[in-house]
Amino acid sequence: MDNMVDHVDGENVNQVVDSGKGIPGAPGVPPAPLPADAPGHELPLLLFGGFRTLIDRLHARLAAEGHPDMRPAHGFAMQAIGARGATASEIGRRLGVSKQAAGKTVDRLLTLGYARRADDPADARRKLVHLTPRGHDALARSAAVFDELRAEWCAALGTDRVRALEADLRNVVPEETAFRLDATSWLGGA
């Protein structure tokens, strides 16, 4: 039977796993044999599983390094804020969500100390959201952890295979959508 699990506050919620078997490729569990020709629906699931594995491991490390309240949505929002700051409307556009949804995430970032609001020097009617030193620290740690996780994939798969995978994905993912952050728009979030 499948369960939905994810690691939040020591509990698991939101990730599909088979409760009766180990996860192939997990520590101590041999990788699943490759089918001669895998069904098409497995490709997006495997890509998402790889993404999810990287993100979950990143957030476990961030929690251990002083950022226990960071969530994936926060990282996407912090990327949308960028180095120069952004308004809630701009953040919403970059994330593909409403200004109100972006505002809720920004409010959470403010509460956690990852961002601050300030008047826009070019237009006093606008408020810009900027990252705080704590926000910059979280992003810098994220970048370092992602480098380490990529190195682990290179050790497991071989550097040439990882580079080939990255090149192949660049070839099939349209350039204009390669780094879009609006996953919530097609996952049903607001």
Side-chain angles (χ1 to χ4, degrees):
M1 168 174 266
D2 289 342
N3 295 317
M4 301 296 287
V5 295
D6 181 13
H7 188 71
V8 176
D9 297 328
E11 295 187 17
N12 290 328
V13 295
N14 238 3
Q15 181 181 350
V16 177
V17 297
D18 184 345
S19 59
K21 302 176 186 173
I23 300 172
V29 179
L34 294 176
D37 193 15
H41 73 273
E42 284 189 357
L43 178 61
L45 294 173
L46 289 169
L47 289 169
F48 183 73
F51 170 79
R52 181 63 191 258
T53 299
L54 291 169
I55 296 300
D56 286 350
R57 292 192 59 210
L58 165 73
H59 283 274
R61 283 282 302 281
L62 286 175
E65 293 181 14
H67 298 282
D69 296 320
M70 278 287 296
R71 299 291 176 261
H74 301 153
F76 288 121
M78 290 165 61
Q79 291 291 331
I81 291 168
R84 295 188 178 123
T87 66
S89 294
E90 291 166 335
I91 296 165
R93 247 188 330 277
R94 292 172 186 168
L95 294 174
V97 300
S98 69
K99 176 183 174 182
Q100 293 77 14
K104 286 181 183 180
T105 302
V106 166
D107 288 344
R108 187 69 182 141
L109 292 174
L110 294 169
T111 299
L112 295 171
Y114 291 110
R116 64 177 175 79
R117 278 196 180 100
D119 291 332
D120 183 343
D123 184 348
R125 298 170 296 174
R126 293 176 13 132
K127 294 286 186 192
L128 289 177
V129 179
H130 294 278
L131 296 177
T132 63
R134 180 169 171 76
H136 287 290
D137 179 67
L139 287 181
R141 288 176 187 269
S142 294
V145 172
F146 277 131
D147 287 343
E148 291 172 18
L149 294 172
R150 184 182 183 279
E152 288 178 15
W153 281 39
C154 288
L157 303 174
T159 301
D160 290 342
R161 286 186 71 194
V162 171
R163 286 181 182 152
L165 174 63
E166 291 166 338
D168 290 342
L169 289 170
R170 284 186 197 100
N171 284 330
V172 297
V173 175
E175 186 176 331
E176 66 276 7
T177 62
F179 297 103
R180 278 181 40 195
L181 302 175
D182 67 347
T184 56
S185 68
W186 50 265
L187 289 175

